[in-house]
Amino acid sequence: MRSVTLLGRRAAATLLACTLLASCGGGGDGEGGGDGTVTLDYYSLAWQKESITANKKLVAQWNRTHKKVKVRYVQGAWESVHDQLLTSFEGGEAPDIIHDDASDLTDFAYGGYLADLRPYLRKSTRSAIPRQSWGSVTMNGGRVYGVPFLQEPRVIIANRKLLERSGVRIPTAEKPWTWREFERVSKKLTRDKDHNGKPERYGTVWTMKEPVKQTVNLALSTGGKVFIKKRTDDGTKNAVRFDARDSAISRLIHRQVDEDRTAPRSGLGMGGSDALPGFFAGRYAMAPLNFSYRQQVQQQAPKGFEWTVLPLPRGERPGENAQGVVPQTLSVAQESGHKQAAADFVAYMTTPEHQAELAKGDWLLPTATEALKDTAVNRRKDGWRTGAQTARTLLPSPTLGVRGYAEWSDKVATPAFQRYYNGDTDLGTLRDSLVGDGNLILNRYQR
């Protein structure tokens, strides 16, 4: 993550306080009115029109029904959230309620910037969300630094006509493909009429512009983990491992691109949106993408184009039907002078009913069990039901709570995976870099 100078941090803290907030009188302590009313700042990263509308509607509803605690909506942006929050924390101008994702909480939690929510959350809030989701925000000796409320699995978005014409078995959430089946289907859907190794249509496309998180998260589907807990003389520490199960998906991607030619090399430099024109044109029959890309497909697909959403494949062994996710979270700043009131607003925003409303606005999945039963979240149209049915297979990403992960990802893993997927290095070289260099970085954070 980008570092900033002390002067830049102070300037950005002032900017966040004065331009993002409605006035400069706010800050982490919340504002108090002459009648005892408290005003809390809610820093939201909602960016889609429907999501912003849903958030503002809930804030307005809270303000109508709470006389002594008012909430002021503050618009943030995903691309700058870490630096903006860091500068606001260091400048003493942090918003009371913070929207972020679980991967960003580690540094802030260990830095003392976020409140431990255990004393403030009601039992109903804790019980509404499955235990495995709470694992994404629990660290530093069992402290809870946020409420996970939205999550995004990876799914396969496929050309329905090509899939049905091929005669392959259509997978369901109850019986997904194995990764071996996925490779066979990819071969069957690939068309290379000239047999020159340059297919007119590829069975799939792997968009690996940001290769690390998805590689690690998909490792769970083959029994891998990549990040493990290791007992040492100095206690239990985080460590990097890249054995057969950890590397199975990496080897599969490498195989499809470099050996089978069922996935294009050009996809390795793409983001999800970059692959959609080729998908619509029939150049790729399938695309493993994040769940929210369904919205772009629904909005941009040519007239008459038929598509479907399939569950992610699984490994061959029992228990290998999982993938890692990084939930979106709502946290409370440690410097807030009204932590209980802020936690009450977080609980309000993350009730099952409100989670379902927010999830629909972002085309994501809620975490609460009852929210996943919402009629709109379970409708067949646009693949919602497929996503809801896979929710039970979602686990916290192995990257969460690992101090030093960001540096490992940026300096070691991203270039190492890119070289490997491009065929510039072999698996052994990749493993040596991820594990050898990676553990040196992680150990530095655990001294």
Side-chain angles (χ1 to χ4, degrees), residues 62-82:
W62 167 280
N63 286 336
R64 284 195 304 271
T65 56
H66 292 75
K67 293 183 178 180
K68 293 299 183 181
V69 179
K70 302 299 181 181
V71 173
R72 181 166 47 200
Y73 182 91
V74 180
Q75 187 63 62
W78 282 107
E79 58 269 19
S80 56
V81 58
H82 183 83

Side-chain angles (χ1 to χ4, degrees), residues 52-115:
I52 292 173
T53 298
N55 272 271
K56 288 185 175 180
K57 176 183 174 183
L58 291 175
V59 169
Q61 183 176 300
W62 167 280
N63 286 336
R64 284 195 304 271
T65 56
H66 292 75
K67 293 183 178 180
K68 293 299 183 181
V69 179
K70 302 299 181 181
V71 173
R72 181 166 47 200
Y73 182 91
V74 180
Q75 187 63 62
W78 282 107
E79 58 269 19
S80 56
V81 58
H82 183 83
D83 286 347
Q84 285 190 340
L85 288 176
L86 180 61
T87 54
S88 69
F89 286 136
E90 295 192 351
E93 294 288 354
D96 301 274
I97 302 118
I98 298 163
H99 179 193
D100 206 343
D101 76 37
S103 67
D104 209 22
L105 301 189
T106 304
D107 288 345
F108 293 148
Y110 281 95
Y113 297 123
L114 299 178

